[in-house]
Amino acid sequence: MKPSFASASALAEGSVVAGASVLETRESLLRGIGADADAVAEIRARQAVLEAEAVVLLAAAARKAHWLAGLEGGSLEHARRSLVAEIATTLRLPEATAAQRIDEAETLEEFLPHTLDALARGVIGYQHAQAVVRQARTLPEAARGEFEVAATAKASTQTPTQLATHARAVRERMHPESIDVRHREARDERAVWVEKERDGMATVVCHLPAVAAFAIDDTLDHLGRALRSPDETRTHAQLRADGLVELLLHRDGDTAARARGITANVVVTVPALSLLGRSDEGGELQGYGPIPLETARQLAAGAPSFLRILTDPVTGQRLSVGRDRYKVPADLRAAVVLDDETCRFPGCARRADRCDLDHTTDWAHGGETSLDNLAALCRRHHTVKHQTGWEVKSGEARALHWTSPSGARHTTRPPDHAAPAPQPRAHQRPRSAGSGPINLPDTPPF
């Protein structure tokens, strides 16, 4: 019997004993490492079994949603959206991930029984199963059985990456359509998106036709090499990155024509005291988060105009047109977008400036066009609110209390915009209680 986690740890801890030779100690430690690795492998196998159980349950939930859609007045599109929202909020997953897990569960249960069985026995992990599903779902249903057998022949001895490579090759051989037809369809999935990173950085991801992607990569490589010089301190990777920024954003010289007529909209919040040099508090980039103060100051210095936001002088909350008009005026829209930052549906992270503004209590039912009754909802969740069984009610401090069709409850609130307590600068020493009065300036900012 393999050692448990506790016994494996005890073996490692007790391996170095008085009088033991270096060789004996090394062998004992290596045995302990092996025992720990075996224990982790057992845990991974048990996790695979649980993942298989989750697959069966998710597939069952999808069938129930389809049955609901078949009832009188039902809609398959709305039932599916509601199902995805239910799973996402319950599991605290992004909706794209929830939708993917549901699709994978349906494919595994209906078309890939051997893969699901291997997962249920702990022979492969869920990443292995995903690699098979990713290729199988693009094949005609009649071809998936043969594909699965060939793709998973060595799955138990392969890493997920190795299996993905093998499955992709098998799929290419078995697909009945030509590569030309498939490429025309795949091009419809081209997209660009941004992934947030730490320390004021982000990653731009481009999903493009292979020829275009490799051409861009080669262009950046040539540009990086051309910028090299004896005095250049930047690495090749940094030169490539800076070259991309210049090509896309530079407004002068040869690249001006590329950007003519295009203006990037960037919303940055900078404390007034920081701009005046009286505080070290950094700025905040809408949709991302904190950015360095130096960057925020540079953006503020080059801003063609400033958006003034009126706030409550006591609470600091951004303010309200009642029922005088349905359409949201620009200044109120700006207040909602800046207060919400993202879509207010549970778990959704779509930027508020790319969302609809929704009257939580419908205008037709007496709802006002006010900050307290408006919320940013992306088009998808705006539709979910009005076309499915999801319900929402306003709460204190612009909280939204959501209830799913199955009765699950979720609450979303705007981010906390309260300014942090000011911190003394590194070279300043806080006054002690008996050090005398503190002299404040007579004019703002205080």
Side-chain angles (χ1 to χ4, degrees):
M1 180 177 178
K2 293 179 181 179
S4 65
F5 172 76
S7 62
S9 298
L11 175 63
E13 292 173 358
S15 58
V16 182
V17 296
S21 67
V22 173
L23 178 60
E24 290 172 334
T25 299
R26 181 182 292 110
E27 290 178 349
S28 181
L29 288 171
L30 290 174
R31 286 195 299 271
I33 292 173
D36 290 339
D38 288 342
V40 172
E42 286 190 1
I43 293 172
R44 293 290 297 274
R46 294 200 298 271
Q47 288 175 329
V49 174
L50 293 175
E51 290 284 10
E53 294 179 10
V55 163
V56 174
L57 292 171
L58 287 174
R63 286 195 298 273
K64 293 179 177 69
H66 285 210
W67 290 334
L68 279 173
L71 300 178
E72 184 177 356
S75 162
L76 180 58
E77 178 186 356
H78 295 154
R80 189 75 178 190
R81 286 189 178 188
S82 184
L83 169 67
V84 170
E86 185 89 46
I87 298 300
T89 53
T90 300
L91 302 183
R92 295 189 295 279
L93 292 173
E95 284 201 13
T97 303
Q100 177 181 318
R101 290 299 298 261
I102 295 169
D103 291 341
E104 290 167 349
E106 292 178 295
T107 302
L108 282 166
E109 189 175 67
E110 187 171 357
F111 300 108
L112 304 173
H114 297 298
T115 305
L116 180 55
D117 177 68
L119 183 65
R121 291 185 289 111
V123 176
I124 62 173
Y126 192 74
Q127 287 182 309
H128 293 84
Q130 285 180 307
V132 179
V133 169
R134 192 174 296 115
Q135 303 303 326
R137 63 156 55 113
T138 63
L139 289 168
E141 294 181 5
R144 293 177 183 177
E146 183 182 359
F147 160 80
E148 180 188 28
V149 172
T152 60
K154 300 179 180 179
S156 62
T157 61
Q158 293 176 314
T159 67
T161 301
Q162 291 172 329
L163 176 57
T165 300
H166 176 63
R168 184 168 58 250
V170 172
R171 181 254 190 194
E172 291 293 340
R173 291 200 307 268
M174 290 188 171
H175 206 293
E177 290 184 335
S178 70
I179 183 65
D180 294 325
V181 173
R182 286 184 279 124
H183 178 65
R184 283 196 295 271
E185 295 176 353
R187 287 183 72 253
D188 292 341
E189 299 178 2
R190 62 190 183 277
V192 179
W193 64 94
V194 176
E195 295 180 355
K196 302 173 186 176
E197 306 288 356
R198 64 182 183 274
D199 301 331
M201 302 294 286
T203 298
V204 178
V205 183
C206 305
H207 182 63
L208 302 171
V211 172
F214 275 82
I216 291 172
D217 180 72
D218 190 58
T219 298
L220 294 177
D221 204 59
H222 281 291
L223 182 58
R225 295 180 189 282
L227 293 174
R228 285 182 177 178
S229 70
D231 299 328
E232 180 59 68
T233 60
R234 290 174 291 179
T235 66
H236 185 62
Q238 291 169 341
L239 289 170
R240 282 168 51 93
D242 293 345
L244 176 63
V245 172
E246 287 294 312
L247 286 174
L248 291 178
L249 300 182
H250 191 50
R251 294 295 191 270
D252 302 320
D254 296 335
T255 58
R258 300 175 185 267
R260 187 175 294 123
I262 300 176
T263 301
N265 294 311
V266 178
V267 178
V268 178
T269 301
V270 192
L273 292 181
S274 295
L275 290 179
L276 295 173
R278 302 192 180 207
S279 171
D280 292 329
E281 184 182 348
E284 184 165 325
L285 174 64
Q286 181 181 340
Y288 173 79
I291 59 174
L293 177 56
E294 179 183 357
T295 302
R297 282 176 173 163
Q298 290 173 353
L299 290 170
S305 63
F306 285 89
L307 174 64
R308 183 178 64 175
I309 301 172
L310 299 180
T311 61
D312 184 289
V314 177
T315 66
Q317 184 179 9
R318 300 179 176 100
L319 305 176
S320 171
V321 282
R323 288 191 57 79
D324 293 341
R325 56 193 293 189
Y326 172 78
K327 185 177 180 180
V328 183
D331 55 349
L332 181 54
R333 176 180 176 82
V336 175
V337 167
L338 291 169
D339 204 45
D340 285 347
E341 294 191 4
T342 65
C343 171
R344 292 292 304 283
F345 191 83
C348 186
R350 186 167 182 81
R351 286 171 44 174
D353 62 345
R354 298 178 181 178
C355 292
D356 300 335
L357 291 195
D358 173 70
H359 290 74
T360 305
T361 299
D362 293 349
W363 174 267
H365 297 155
E368 296 184 350
T369 302
S370 65
L371 181 63
D372 288 338
N373 193 48
L374 290 170
L377 290 181
C378 68
R379 185 59 55 86
R380 177 183 183 87
H381 292 127
H382 201 170
T383 301
V384 165
K385 179 198 173 212
H386 289 288
Q387 301 295 335
T388 74
W390 281 83
E391 298 178 352
V392 61
K393 293 183 179 180
S394 298
E396 73 294 340
R398 300 191 67 242
L400 294 183
H401 302 295
W402 294 86
T403 303
S404 77
S406 70
R409 298 179 183 275
H410 309 273
T411 297
T412 66
R413 293 182 172 83
D416 184 6
H417 298 286
Q423 299 294 321
R425 296 193 181 189
H427 63 274
Q428 293 177 328
R429 181 174 300 173
R431 289 177 178 266
S432 62
S435 59
I438 299 176
N439 296 320
L440 295 176
D442 296 325
T443 57
F446 312 123

